[in-house]
Amino acid sequence: LMTAKCAYTTTLQQFPDRLNLLHGAKDIPLAIVWDTAEGELDCSRYAVLYQYHIDIYDTSNPENIFHVEAQNNRQRFNCFLFAKNDSLIVGCEDGFARVFFFSPQTKNYDLHASHRLHQNRVKAMSLVPNSEFLVSASTDGIVRVWNLSDIFTQSEHEISHLIEHSTGTRITCLSVQTTAAISNSLKPLSFAEM
């Protein structure tokens, strides 16, 4: 299993002029993430999260670097994950999740959808393994479960979470592990079932 330390080492060796983590770069990386969208580690690409942009690297071709940019300061990026169909879901400072799809025409990631998940900043997100659910967490202590197909919906309408839990404390990270088989049905789940 590759770790962030491994990704960090690989990045410094392969792209020293593009990503300078050791010499005090002005825009400091917040996270380095390998693609695990299909439930398996895909070492062909990884991404580096900054406050206002994400750089996606293709390990087979160092010249292939794709960028996703925040449109303004309120959309500052806090977290992201690779999702199905060559997409990214980005949790933002303004409580929204923004979905970007890779476009063969523009050869970059273009904004596809934007949905409010929380009233406060989206601090962490995770895909529930072997399911069609996304879990999001906010700094207000709220954890919500969403249907992934709703997140990918392109319309501007409000989407509804499936379940919610208030932790009563500030959340800074999130990890999801299932203890029971979860079907792709829309039946309501409890946190105990996950």
Side-chain angles (χ1 to χ4, degrees), residues 132-134 145-152 160 162 185-186:
E132 289 292 317
F133 301 114
L134 171 79
V145 177
W146 305 86
N147 187 312
L148 202 52
S149 63
D150 290 344
I151 299 293
F152 287 126
S160 298
L162 300 173
S185 71
L186 293 178

Side-chain angles (χ1 to χ4, degrees), residues 71-85:
Q71 294 178 347
N72 60 52
N73 287 352
R74 286 288 300 146
Q75 292 181 7
R76 187 177 89 185
F77 297 160
N78 292 322
C79 59
F80 82 98
L81 48 84
F82 287 102
K84 65 183 183 177
N85 302 326

Side-chain angles (χ1 to χ4, degrees), residues 14-38:
Q14 290 183 348
F15 312 106
D17 58 333
R18 293 197 176 98
L19 183 62
N20 189 348
L21 299 177
L22 295 178
H23 301 293
K26 183 178 179 186
D27 196 9
I28 298 175
L30 302 175
I32 299 173
V33 178
W34 286 95
D35 183 355
T36 57
E38 302 302 324

Side-chain angles (χ1 to χ4, degrees), residues 13 16 21 46 95 136 157:
Q13 290 171 352
L21 299 177
Y46 65 95
S136 64
H157 76 281

